[in-house]
Amino acid sequence: IKWICPTAPRLPVTSLAGQNATAWCDITKVSESMQHDFESLDSVNSYVADLLSTEPTNVIKGVGGVGLGAAAALYFASSCAFGKVQIKQQMINPQIVIGINGWLPGLTSLQPNMNNAFGTFNRAKSQRILLLHGTSDDVVPSEFGYKCAVSLRNNEFPTMFKQCGGNHVMTEIFVWLTQTFGL
């Protein structure tokens, strides 16, 4: 398994009162109606695709992140399912996606996009998604993370959502990888 979990650049983040933080894009308050910086997220997709471009085809590819990193990983996965991410004219599709305290940018456009490209449902079904969410996250409400998981499941992405925190996160990831992939 090759994990791609790069560190985002530092930039001012509106939701953090303009403080510089590692972030893939600027975000405001996380909610269903929030404005998404799809241009920056598409740049992240290209960056991750470039990282994966040198990997052999027999390597299980996975992406993951925490908070905005989880949002970027989920956006990458859905974009791959839609056929929007390619490496050297070949579509790419991560087999493993792990998000911790994250959400899916563009959640409301997930269903309409599922019918726009040939093979979308098959690519979605080939991904395995684990979303973990703490119960005391002040930035991303766990209810929103759960709603994203339900939407992914309803659109044929095999998705597991679990609430946990602290030291339990790594244990949950280990158990899920072991059960799902026999690793």
Side-chain angles (χ1 to χ4, degrees):
I1 296 175
K2 172 86 178 226
W3 288 98
I4 305 294
C5 297
T7 301
R10 294 187 64 78
L11 53 95
V13 179
T14 302
S15 66
L16 299 174
Q19 287 183 304
N20 276 345
T22 53
W24 293 109
C25 60
D26 188 25
I27 61 169
T28 57
K29 182 176 167 109
V30 176
S31 71
E32 284 183 62
S33 61
M34 71 186 285
Q35 295 293 317
H36 297 287
D37 183 359
F38 291 115
E39 185 176 327
S40 293
L41 289 167
D42 288 336
S43 291
V44 173
N45 281 355
S46 295
Y47 175 70
V48 173
D50 284 344
L51 290 173
L52 292 173
S53 69
T54 59
E55 297 304 318
T57 55
N58 65 333
V59 171
I60 296 173
K61 295 168 185 73
V63 293
V66 178
L68 185 53
L74 290 166
Y75 183 75
F76 179 78
S78 64
S79 296
C80 289
F82 302 148
K84 293 181 180 178
V85 180
Q86 296 186 14
I87 300 173
K88 300 172 188 166
Q89 283 74 43
Q90 289 188 331
M91 284 189 236
I92 187 165
N93 202 36
Q95 292 95 335
I96 301 171
V97 183
I98 297 177
I100 302 167
N101 291 5
W103 71 96
L104 174 61
L107 172 68
T108 56
S109 62
L110 182 62
Q111 176 61 47
N113 282 328
M114 292 302 290
N115 296 315
N116 286 342
F118 179 76
T120 299
F121 287 102
N122 287 336
R123 287 187 293 276
K125 288 177 187 177
S126 70
Q127 298 179 14
R128 298 294 179 267
I129 300 174
L130 174 64
L131 299 180
L132 300 171
H133 213 100
T135 55
S136 60
D137 188 332
D138 295 335
V139 179
V140 184
S142 62
E143 298 82 31
F144 188 49
Y146 177 75
K147 186 171 190 161
C148 290
V150 168
S151 182
L152 286 162
R153 256 187 250 123
N154 288 343
N155 285 285
E156 313 241 3
F157 289 86
T159 305
M160 175 181 274
F161 179 86
K162 281 198 139 185
Q163 284 192 299
C164 66
N167 297 334
H168 299 291
V169 170
M170 293 310 291
T171 301
E172 290 294 339
I173 292 171
F174 174 78
V175 168
W176 181 76
L177 286 171
T178 302
Q179 291 175 348
T180 305
F181 296 96
L183 303 175

